[in-house]
């Protein structure tokens, strides 16, 4: 998880520091001086490294499906001591699924939204 918090080149937060709002094809697609490495190979919307997105939805925010189409949902967020909050939403065919948590005054506050015509189980951490 440390890799997710580093901000220097060849890390997850380096592209964010450089202004990215998507996952880049190359860790070093844009150099520190804002020029590009190889203009012919610089997809700035590339899923190959999308495992971090999966981790954010399924682990940190805790949205998982237990069947096709998110008809039955499991909400089991995992608050991390290295984050102050996490929030994710997913537009299913039934409506918006939302799961989030935030640390406030020594407590963890959860917000969950489940669409109509679905069922959900929640597993909330005690700490």
């Amino acid at each position: 998880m440390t890799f997710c918090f580093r901000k220097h080149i060849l890390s997850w937060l380096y592209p964010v520091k450089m202004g990215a709002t998507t996952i880049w094809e190359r860790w070093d697609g844009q150099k520190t001086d804002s020029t590009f490495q190889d203009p012919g190979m610089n997809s700035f919307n590339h899923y190959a490294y999308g495992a971090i997105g999966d981790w954010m939805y399924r682990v940190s925010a805790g949205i998982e499906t237990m069947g096709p189409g998110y008809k039955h949902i499991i909400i089991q967020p995992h608050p991390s001591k290295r984050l102050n909050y996490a929030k994710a939403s997913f537009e299913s065919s039934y409506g918006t699924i939302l799961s989030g948590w935030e640390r406030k005054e020594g407590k963890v506050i959860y917000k969950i939204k489940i669409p109509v015509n679905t069922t959900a189980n929640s597993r909330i951490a005690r700490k």
Side-chain angles (χ1 to χ4, degrees), residues 3 6-15 17 27-32 37:
F3 184 68
R6 292 192 305 209
K7 295 180 182 175
H8 61 279
I9 200 163
L10 303 181
S11 68
W12 282 107
L13 287 180
Y14 173 75
K17 185 174 94 175
W27 298 107
D28 60 351
Q30 187 175 359
K31 296 188 258 182
T32 54
Q37 286 290 1

Side-chain angles (χ1 to χ4, degrees), residues 24-72:
W24 294 356
E25 180 177 15
R26 295 173 55 132
W27 298 107
D28 60 351
Q30 187 175 359
K31 296 188 258 182
T32 54
D33 65 1
S34 296
T35 60
F36 298 112
Q37 286 290 1
D38 177 359
M41 188 182 154
N42 259 335
S43 167
F44 290 108
N45 192 8
H46 199 76
Y47 185 74
Y49 303 119
I52 190 72
D54 179 65
W55 176 84
M56 286 188 239
Y57 273 87
R58 286 189 324 101
V59 178
S60 188
I63 298 174
E64 291 198 56
T65 183
M66 291 304 294
Y70 287 83
K71 179 74 173 165
H72 182 70

